[in-house]
Amino acid sequence: MKKIIKDFIVRERCELSKMYSLLKLSPADGTQLIDVHPGQFVQVAVSGSKNTFLRRPISICNIDTDRNELWLLVRLAGDGTAALLRSERGDVINLILPLGNGFSISSPSQSLLLIGGGVGVAPLLLLGRALKDAGCKPEFLLGARSANDLLLIDEFARIGKLHISTDDGSAGEMGLVTQNTVLQKKWDMIYCCGPAPMMKAVAVEARKIGAECEVSLENMMACGLGACLCCVEKTVKGNVCVCTEGPVFNINELTW
């Protein structure tokens, strides 16, 4: 898939919490967005931060074709993301996109569960919509520390049935996502993105119930093009760059 470097205008910044904002961007030149695959990401140039030189990798959260908008869910993690969270309507942000390889699209006959934690919910929104458009009936299991930390749940609920786990029990079931009773059901395919310990635990549960499972890794990426080797992951076929071979992998490809 062809990669482009393009300026985008911030159409809206939705502050979801002190740690998270949703940026809605449109091409600055007014052209239509190019096709992207769920699970792909962008490399964002950060201005307004003297300590930030490298682009920041961020999952593509959604594509709103009616409004010609690309959504990015940004979590405060350092100077670079702090600068992005200060973005205002009309600001210009430069992106390289689309990067990486995304999730597979299952058949409508399969039972599908999409599991996300923290900022890891981001790529699952676009994936859920793609699966629904393909005739599937995806369900979602979202995890967070508390009800106040849940992200975009109204958007997910518009796509499919929603299950929730919170550490403190303030919403949904108390405990980790891997303790949620929905995992006692039979699933054909599980998609997952979130902290590495969570994804590894989900992989264990997927193997227990005989489900196929794809995960989106969040390794540190500097270039997004496979040149810097910051994001190397050990797989059954040897070491690979997550930014070019992933970020999505079937768990059978990983040495987990």
Side-chain angles (χ1 to χ4, degrees):
M1 187 178 290
K2 184 180 179 181
K3 312 296 187 288
I4 63 171
I5 303 176
K6 197 177 190 69
D7 284 338
F8 282 72
I9 291 179
V10 178
R11 296 300 183 193
E12 186 177 3
R13 178 175 63 83
C14 307
E15 187 173 318
L16 306 180
S17 71
K18 292 181 179 180
M19 294 290 293
Y20 293 92
S21 283
L22 183 68
L23 299 182
K24 298 182 179 182
L25 313 174
S26 293
D29 59 8
T31 57
Q32 288 295 307
L33 288 166
I34 62 172
D35 289 335
V36 302
H37 195 75
Q40 291 187 303
F41 66 98
V42 301
Q43 288 283 114
V44 185
V46 180
S47 59
S49 174
K50 295 180 180 180
N51 299 322
T52 305
F53 303 99
L54 298 172
R55 290 175 180 261
R56 293 297 186 264
I58 300 178
S59 296
I60 298 171
C61 180
N62 185 42
I63 297 292
D64 186 333
T65 54
D66 293 336
R67 297 174 61 87
N68 201 36
E69 290 179 345
L70 179 150
W71 296 6
L72 300 178
L73 180 61
V74 183
R75 175 177 63 89
L76 178 61
D79 290 343
T81 49
L84 291 175
L85 291 175
R86 292 192 295 269
S87 299
E88 299 291 345
R89 182 181 176 87
D91 287 352
V92 176
I93 297 177
N94 186 266
L95 307 181
I96 302 176
L97 76 160
L99 298 172
N101 295 303
F103 295 100
S104 63
I105 301 299
S106 299
S107 69
S109 63
Q110 292 183 301
S111 56
L112 312 175
L113 183 63
L114 284 61
I115 304 177
V119 75
V121 305
L124 302 184
L125 184 60
L126 182 59
L127 173 61
R129 288 185 166 157
L131 290 168
K132 186 176 181 180
D133 289 344
C136 302
K137 295 181 179 180
E139 297 188 27
F140 300 93
L141 172 55
L142 306 182
R145 291 187 178 90
S146 70
N148 292 332
D149 299 308
L150 291 166
L151 302 168
L152 304 174
I153 56 174
D154 290 340
E155 295 289 342
F156 284 107
R158 294 187 184 100
I159 301 170
K161 188 174 181 180
L162 186 60
H163 310 273
I164 290 173
S165 286
T166 52
D167 293 350
D168 62 3
S170 55
E173 297 184 19
M174 178 182 287
L176 305 175
V177 291
T178 49
Q179 298 170 318
N180 195 289
T181 53
V182 74
L183 277 174
Q184 296 174 9
K185 294 175 58 178
K186 172 64 177 176
W187 299 99
D188 294 315
M189 183 70 177
I190 294 175
Y191 301 95
C192 183
C193 185
M198 185 199 83
M199 290 192 290
K200 290 180 179 181
V202 168
V204 171
E205 296 302 316
R207 290 189 172 107
K208 284 182 182 178
I209 64 175
E212 286 293 311
C213 183
E214 291 181 354
V215 296
S216 180
L217 303 189
E218 297 183 327
N219 295 30
M220 183 179 293
M221 301 178 195
C223 72
L225 302 170
C228 68
L229 305 181
C230 286
C231 63
V232 168
E233 177 77 15
K234 185 178 181 180
T235 72
V236 296
K237 296 181 180 179
N239 293 336
V240 301
C241 290
V242 169
C243 66
T244 54
E245 300 301 317
V248 176
F249 294 88
N250 188 291
I251 59 172
N252 294 327
E253 300 176 84
L254 302 172
T255 57
W256 291 0

